Structures are given as C-alpha cells and as structure tokens.
Amino acid sequence: MAKIVRFDHVGGPEVLQFKEEVSKQPGKGEVRLKVKAMGLNRAELMFMRGQYVEDPKFPAGLGYEAAGVVEAVGPDVDKNWLGKSVAVIPAFSMNEYAMLGEEAIVPVAALGEYPPNLSAAEGAAIWMQYVTAYGALIAIAHLAKGDFVLITAASSSVGLAAIQIAKAEGAVSIATTRKSNKKSELHLLAADHVIATEEEDIIARVKEITAGKGARVIFDPVAGPYLEKLAETAPVGGIIIEYGALSMQPTPFPLYAAIVKGLSIRGYTLMAITRNPEKLTGAKKYIYDRLADGRFRLKIAQTFPFAQTVEAYKYLESNAQVGKVVITIP
C-alpha cells in the first residue's frame, strides 16, 4: 500500500486528500518510482481549481515533478533503470500520470538523471523550471550575448532559471517583482536589474536600463492587461513569450504596438520541448552540463514533509517564496 494525494472536486489546496492505494505494477514504457521528493508548480494550483489547460478527471491525482529511486520497470523497459536515482521531467498529462505520492508510475521517456552531488529535494526542483526557461529563451528566442531580456514574476523557480540562463548566455536580465522586498534577494541570485512593478514605472525603467533600446526578449507568465505595458517595453522586432495566465484576467492584444514594432507574441508551454525527443535530448544536455559545472544553482525556498502537502501548496499560493517549494518523504 502507498499513500497517494487525490482530489474529487475542484477548489484550493484544502480539497487535497491522502488515499491508501495498492501498489501498481508498471506497464509497457513505464517504471514505478519510490518517491523521495516532489517539486510544486503553479500549474498544479490551476489544475486543482479547474483553471488549467485541461480539466481534472476525478478522482484526480496531482503533480508534475518528483525525484526518487526506480524500484520496478515495465516488461519492455531496460532493467538498467532499476535502482537508479532519477527525477521526472513534465512530459505528460496529470490525468494520465501524477507524481504526488509515496510512489508513482512514470513513463520512462520522462525520466532524467541528475548530478550525484544533488539531493532528492534538489533533483525534484530541476526540470520544470529549467526546461521551461530553456525552451523559451534558447530554443525559441535564441537569446544571445548582449540581449536585454525582461523576466516577469522573476522570484518563481522558472524566473530564477531564466535569470541564470541569461547570465550563462551573456545576456542582461531585467527581473520584475511586484514589491521591493524581494529586490535584494533577486540581485543576489544574479539578476542584473530588478524592477518593483507596483512601485516603479516599468516602461520608464526598461527604457532607462536599456538606454532606449528596449528588451528584445520578454518572458512572461502573467498575461492579462499588463501585456500592453510589456509590449511598450519591446523594441522593433522584439518577441514576447507568454507561458502562463497568473493574472486570470482577459488578455487584450496590443495591436498597435505589435503592428508598429513588428512584434512576435506567442504562447508556449514546456511540452513543446518535453514531448519532442530530439528537442528534449538537447535541453537535457544543456541543463545537465550547467548544473554539473555550477553555472546553474538551484534555489529551494522551503521544504515541507509529505504530511503537510496542503500547507505546502498554500505557501506556494501565497507568493511569499523566492525559488522552489518542495515536499519531501523520509
């Protein structure tokens, strides 16, 4: 028997329940993971509330990221996976696979090893953030040395990954956060510039920082009415990549700015990378190499024991954190 997190109706973290379930055997193309840690993501908050790109099928599971040890493999899976410490790469629907539990069935294509010097908690904090940022900044925007990149909601794990990618590529990062209380920590975490958007004029500050050039790449999970301001910070030929809907408000298209500047405005999810084996291979190598040599450093905001899963999601929802929220199992 294993404890698994389930929910049978939409709502906030309070809808999550622990269920005792019989251990499952992995099928073709699958492994069973003995879970040691789980990384939390805002996509899960949206999924449990019925606000995600797909609706939950009840009784629903939850969770995209986990790290642990492979304890069983499907009939067609290489037995060399047995006993390996691995982390799960989000490459599936949470209606098909869910990571929040003492064990999880995982498609073998979604497994990624991580540097042996990292803990399970750190292993569970890798793939969502770095693949999301890599796909947008490297695979799509082709971020280059000297580029200005505007990173909104920068205190999230994906935001911090984007700052590190910008640093590694020689680009100049402009991180945003709502209030100034996170500014000093974002600077310590390698952001070149930080704008507190509730206290500063983002258009004026970007113009000042870039000496009037604008931010060629804008990486935004918020959307909503703020997109119009972001478009004003972009130069001719700039690209705005929308990868979330945190504002939960309608998103007007900035027509005139897009026409005059020839802007590219596009939606994106990391599934564009993780569901393409060739692209995923490139992403894994890029991320693994930089984790191994220290160019990428994981920032865990707080860890919670498995029994406090509800509290962990409430903390994530509070926006108080800088970095990744992780649940651990002894």
Side-chain angles (χ1 to χ4, degrees):
M1 302 293 288
K3 284 184 179 178
I4 308 294
V5 173
R6 301 282 185 200
F7 62 106
D8 56 17
H9 61 281
V10 297
E14 66 279 355
V15 303
L16 302 180
Q17 299 178 336
F18 292 100
K19 302 288 186 182
E20 291 275 353
E21 298 185 5
V22 176
S23 294
K24 295 179 180 177
Q25 292 303 311
K28 288 185 178 181
E30 297 175 337
V31 306
R32 186 174 71 234
L33 192 67
K34 182 177 177 60
V35 176
K36 296 293 186 183
M38 295 147 282
L40 307 193
N41 299 285
R42 294 193 180 279
E44 292 138 35
L45 288 168
M46 296 178 73
F47 185 66
M48 74 175 74
R49 290 185 180 277
Q51 298 169 337
Y52 196 45
V53 293
E54 60 178 334
D55 293 326
K57 296 177 181 178
F58 302 120
L62 194 67
Y64 269 132
E65 291 186 281
V69 178
V70 176
E71 59 178 7
V73 299
D76 62 337
V77 175
D78 187 343
K79 288 183 171 54
N80 286 325
W81 280 109
L82 285 169
K84 283 191 174 182
S85 294
V86 297
V88 179
I89 300 168
F92 46 82
S93 162
M94 283 187 283
N95 280 318
E96 297 174 359
Y97 297 97
M99 298 302 109
L100 233 65
E102 293 176 331
E103 63 181 38
I105 299 296
V106 184
V108 69
L111 295 182
E113 295 185 70
Y114 54 89
N117 59 306
L118 299 185
S119 66
E122 292 169 320
I126 296 172
W127 296 112
M128 175 69 87
Q129 61 177 313
Y130 285 112
V131 175
T132 300
Y134 166 90
L137 301 183
I138 303 300
I140 294 173
H142 307 295
L143 195 67
K145 185 176 181 178
D147 274 337
F148 289 98
V149 54
L150 181 62
I151 302 162
T152 66
S155 60
S156 70
S157 58
V158 176
L160 298 183
I163 290 169
Q164 292 181 28
I165 288 175
K167 184 69 110 180
E169 297 299 319
V172 179
S173 61
I174 306 170
T176 79
T177 183
R178 288 184 303 156
K179 299 181 184 298
S180 59
N181 61 314
K182 293 181 180 179
K183 288 182 75 169
S184 60
E185 189 163 8
L186 285 169
H187 278 300
L188 288 172
L189 292 167
D192 294 307
H193 304 274
V194 184
I195 300 171
T197 57
E198 290 185 1
E199 303 168 15
E200 302 174 78
D201 181 333
I202 186 172
I203 297 172
R205 287 286 288 122
V206 171
K207 185 176 181 179
E208 175 189 0
I209 291 164
T210 65
K213 294 178 180 178
R216 185 183 75 80
V217 181
I218 299 172
F219 185 45
D220 176 53
V222 181
Y226 213 65
L227 177 58
E228 294 183 304
K229 280 193 175 182
L230 296 181
E232 290 298 318
T233 71
V236 171
I239 181 170
I240 302 174
I241 300 171
E242 294 290 341
Y243 70 100
L246 294 179
S247 78
M248 298 307 295
Q249 298 179 62
T251 303
F253 184 75
L255 180 63
Y256 291 112
I259 290 173
V260 171
K261 297 180 178 182
L263 300 181
S264 297
I265 302 174
R266 61 164 295 171
Y268 159 77
T269 77
L270 86 165
M271 298 298 176
I273 303 295
T274 62
R275 291 183 175 177
N276 181 310
E278 184 178 347
K279 290 180 179 180
L280 181 56
T281 297
K284 287 166 71 173
K285 178 171 174 31
Y286 179 94
I287 294 161
Y288 191 95
D289 288 350
R290 286 156 182 78
L291 281 171
D293 67 18
R295 280 178 286 176
F296 289 174
R297 295 182 180 275
L298 294 157
K299 167 66 174 172
I300 295 178
Q302 191 166 333
T303 60
F304 291 80
F306 186 42
Q308 293 180 14
T309 292
V310 171
E311 289 79 2
Y313 275 106
K314 286 181 177 179
Y315 178 64
L316 177 66
E317 201 168 39
S318 74
N319 295 319
Q321 79 283 359
V322 176
K324 193 79 168 182
V325 180
V326 177
I327 290 170
T328 58
I329 300 177

